Amino acid sequence: MMQKIEHLGIAVKDLEAAEAIYSKLLGTEPYKRETVESECVITSFFMNGPNKIELLAATDESSAIHKYIEKKGEGIHHIAFAVEDIHLEMERLRKEGFVILNESPKRGADNKLICFIHPKSANGVLIELCQEISSNEE
Ligand code: CMX
């Protein structure tokens, strides 16, 4: 089942400028920057207490982030939920009628297996599932 909100994803145009703003806002620097080639994004992660915020900028125009910002502007792009077993959760949600955007989980940022649920299935909110990759799943 869904364990907790793992992070909030925020779509930004300029990663460095957004990092400066969120560093001031949260009073801490990002702990990690990571490019996810398959998603054409560069990400930057902040911790705020137990909570995580992911800034996402497009690396090219084919990126979902580029399309999102063109259409809706910068802002909250997705909510990610931590799951223990992403395969089981995808199966459960498929049976519940959610539109899962990935046939199988793929590798995302910050050592996670991820998949997405279409925003039309969840009241206009893009949902991400993520499972921590343990060393025996590498
Ligand atoms: N949140 C809410 N609504 C969204 C959305 C989002 N993040 N992205 C798109 N939409 C809406 C659009 O506004 C549009 O709504 P209308 O039909 O009412 O206009 C509809 O969904 C279709 O959007 P679109 O612009 O035509 O885009 P596509 O259908 O080509 O793609 C989506 C939309 C969600 C299927 C695609 O963005 C996707 O597969 N996303 C998952 C992957 C992803 O977002 N990767 C980047 C993050 C990677 C990471 O976190 O590491």
Side-chain angles (χ1 to χ4, degrees):
M1 299 294 273
M2 305 286 199
Q3 295 174 314
K4 62 169 186 173
I5 291 180
E6 212 283 329
H7 64 265
L8 295 178
I10 299 177
V12 304
K13 281 186 190 160
D14 177 337
L15 193 66
E16 269 183 36
E19 280 176 335
I21 289 168
Y22 277 81
S23 294
K24 272 190 258 175
L25 180 74
L26 301 172
T28 186
E29 298 292 314
Y31 69 87
K32 179 191 268 196
R33 239 194 201 203
E34 191 177 339
T35 300
V36 185
E37 307 274 358
S38 60
E39 296 294 314
C40 302
V41 293
I42 177 159
T43 63
S44 181
F45 288 92
F46 288 83
M47 287 309 297
N48 172 237
N51 302 310
K52 193 188 285 181
I53 289 177
E54 176 187 33
L55 304 180
L56 301 125
T59 55
D60 68 49
E61 293 192 357
S62 67
S63 168
I65 298 300
H66 176 78
K67 198 168 178 186
Y68 180 83
I69 289 175
E70 286 284 291
K71 208 164 183 176
K72 298 196 182 217
E74 294 181 297
I76 294 187
H77 177 259
H78 64 263
I79 301 178
F81 291 94
V83 297
E84 200 177 324
D85 184 329
I86 196 166
H87 294 93
L88 280 182
E89 202 57 17
M90 286 170 76
E91 197 48 39
R92 180 182 79 82
L93 294 173
R94 228 178 242 126
K95 283 192 188 136
E96 293 284 5
F98 289 91
V99 176
I100 316 273
L101 289 165
N102 313 95
E103 268 304 305
S104 51
K106 53 187 177 174
R107 207 182 171 113
D110 212 19
N111 198 40
K112 300 285 188 295
L113 281 177
I114 63 168
C115 76
F116 289 91
I117 296 169
H118 201 288
K120 299 278 181 200
S121 291
N123 303 82
V125 178
L126 177 65
I127 305 289
E128 178 180 343
L129 304 184
C130 45
Q131 177 190 329
E132 190 80 25
I133 299 173
S134 59
S135 48
N136 55 7
E137 284 161 322
E138 289 284 347

